[in-house]
Amino acid sequence: MREEVQKIIDNVGSVIIGKEAVIKKLLAAILADGHVLLEDVPGTGKTKLAKSLAASLGIRMGRIQFTPDMLPADITGLHVYSRESERFELKKGPVFTNILLADEINRATPRTQAGLLECMEERQVTIDGETMELERPFFVIATQNPVETAGTFPLPEAQTDRFMMKLAMGFPDREEETAILQAYSQEDPLEKLQPVMTKEELLSMKEEAKRVYVHPLVAGYLADIAGATRKQEKVAMGVSPRGTLALMRAAKALACMEGRDYLIPDDVKALAPDVLSHRLIFAYGSSGQEEARALMEEILAQVPVPVEDFGKRG
């Protein structure tokens, strides 16, 4: 699988320059059946990242620009009366896609946010009492701008917990920004991007990731990390079992991407800050992502790492 993964990373990397680590984590989230919250300032390439990922995987993409006056029906769809057929017909919303870019999700009201998050959790939509399954894969990349507060409704902690990872693009360094200027000097690389994988191949990779073996010692390591977050003085509420399961699934996907059929502690350590930091609720109120990540790094340094032949079954 490593060759297939590298093809995707290289393909997306021709559009999103210098962000291989972010691309890799996004792909791990897709394979682990999770969703990602991208929090960063405008202009760092969040929308282009979603578009180039969908183009590389050969799957459909939808986009919602959230505004304060949006309703849940604007996301899921509604029944509209047709004069021609003289009956109500379903007009599906943008959620009926494979990769959904939820742009500036914190601009929508909590009611509208909840409408999307229900689709994320259940992978289904209920419209006027009729329940419909969403097509697989279904992956949400939600963005929010941390520097704007006017007209925004920040995601409550319980809803943020529904996202498998919280990532940030970050500004490019001088070398990366120079490469961006050269790559975009003539045309937009996204316009000529071609798929390097089919939807069927992606679904097959997802199934392969599910079969990655988790040694009991690694499972115990995961539990120790989660338990450590619940014992911190500055943390009012640590990681829930949902968060521990999310970390295990994401780490299994990363192991599969690295060509292994078993999980090792390094897979867990590589993704723990991205999967767990945004789930920590501090005792003195909301805390910045940087402080939460720093605390997770401290916890990872303190929790003993098991040593064993983790590929050995039984």
Side-chain angles (χ1 to χ4, degrees):
M1 184 186 285
R2 295 185 69 174
E3 292 183 2
E4 291 86 346
V5 168
Q6 195 58 49
K7 284 181 182 178
I8 298 170
I9 293 173
D10 292 342
N11 208 46
V12 178
S14 66
V15 178
I16 307 298
I17 296 169
K19 301 300 177 186
E20 181 174 325
V22 177
I23 297 168
K24 193 171 184 178
K25 290 171 183 176
L26 269 177
L27 189 54
I30 292 178
L31 296 181
D33 222 15
H35 307 284
V36 169
L37 180 62
L38 279 177
E39 183 178 77
D40 221 324
V41 296
T44 50
K46 299 185 292 292
T47 302
K48 274 196 180 298
L49 175 60
K51 288 182 176 180
S52 56
L53 188 62
S56 298
L57 297 175
I59 54 181
R60 295 183 296 119
M61 177 193 158
R63 181 177 182 271
I64 304 172
Q65 180 63 54
F66 281 86
T67 57
D69 60 347
M70 283 188 67
L71 298 173
D74 296 324
I75 299 172
T76 59
L78 71 165
H79 286 93
V80 178
Y81 184 75
S82 171
R83 289 187 176 182
E84 294 180 0
S85 62
E86 296 185 347
R87 61 186 178 87
F88 284 92
E89 297 180 352
L90 176 62
K91 182 180 179 182
K92 291 185 176 180
V95 76
F96 288 90
T97 189
N98 297 125
I99 290 183
L100 178 67
L101 176 63
D103 225 351
E104 297 183 303
I105 188 174
N106 55 331
R107 287 193 174 277
T109 61
R111 177 186 177 190
T112 304
Q113 292 176 8
L116 173 63
L117 294 168
E118 181 182 359
C119 302
M120 293 164 53
E121 186 75 10
E122 304 296 333
R123 273 14 184 237
Q124 65 183 28
V125 177
T126 302
I127 303 174
D128 296 335
E130 180 183 354
T131 300
M132 290 160 283
E133 295 286 333
L134 291 173
E135 182 183 341
R136 300 299 178 98
F138 177 66
F139 178 59
V140 174
I141 301 177
T143 72
Q144 62 178 6
N145 185 354
V147 298
E148 291 185 12
T149 55
T152 61
F153 304 86
L155 288 172
E157 288 84 355
Q159 295 185 359
T160 307
D161 191 50
R162 298 299 199 280
F163 288 94
M164 175 172 280
M165 297 184 197
K166 186 176 183 181
L167 304 173
M169 298 285 287
F171 285 116
D173 58 27
R174 184 181 185 277
E175 184 179 342
E176 292 168 350
E177 194 153 14
T178 301
I180 291 171
L181 293 171
Q182 292 176 336
Y184 283 79
S185 62
Q186 299 294 328
E187 59 181 356
D188 188 342
L190 179 60
E191 296 178 359
K192 58 180 181 181
L193 204 65
Q194 297 296 320
V196 293
M197 178 173 288
T198 64
K199 183 173 71 172
E200 290 70 25
E201 289 172 333
L202 176 62
L203 292 173
S204 176
M205 287 174 65
K206 285 167 64 71
E207 290 301 317
E208 189 175 341
K210 289 180 181 178
R211 294 193 293 269
V212 169
Y213 173 69
V214 181
H215 193 281
L217 287 177
V218 180
Y221 181 56
L222 283 158
D224 289 342
I225 293 173
T229 67
R230 301 163 192 158
K231 298 174 183 176
Q232 303 296 312
E233 289 185 7
K234 61 176 73 174
V235 175
M237 188 179 300
V239 173
S240 68
R242 177 192 287 145
T244 317
L245 287 167
L247 178 55
M248 182 185 69
R249 295 202 312 270
K252 286 173 65 175
L254 183 62
C256 191
M257 290 165 61
E258 295 291 342
R260 279 182 279 102
D261 63 352
Y262 58 92
L263 196 60
I264 62 175
D266 284 347
D267 300 321
V268 176
K269 293 177 71 173
L271 293 179
D274 303 299
V275 177
L276 302 183
S277 296
H278 65 284
R279 304 173 193 271
L280 301 179
I281 301 176
F282 284 75
Y284 47 81
S286 62
S287 179
Q289 183 72 355
E290 289 185 7
E291 184 177 354
R293 289 182 68 90
L295 179 59
M296 277 307 310
E297 295 290 354
E298 289 179 22
I299 291 171
L300 291 172
Q302 294 168 2
V303 175
V305 180
V307 179
E308 181 66 45
D309 179 5
F310 300 110
K312 185 178 180 181
R313 270 70 166 174

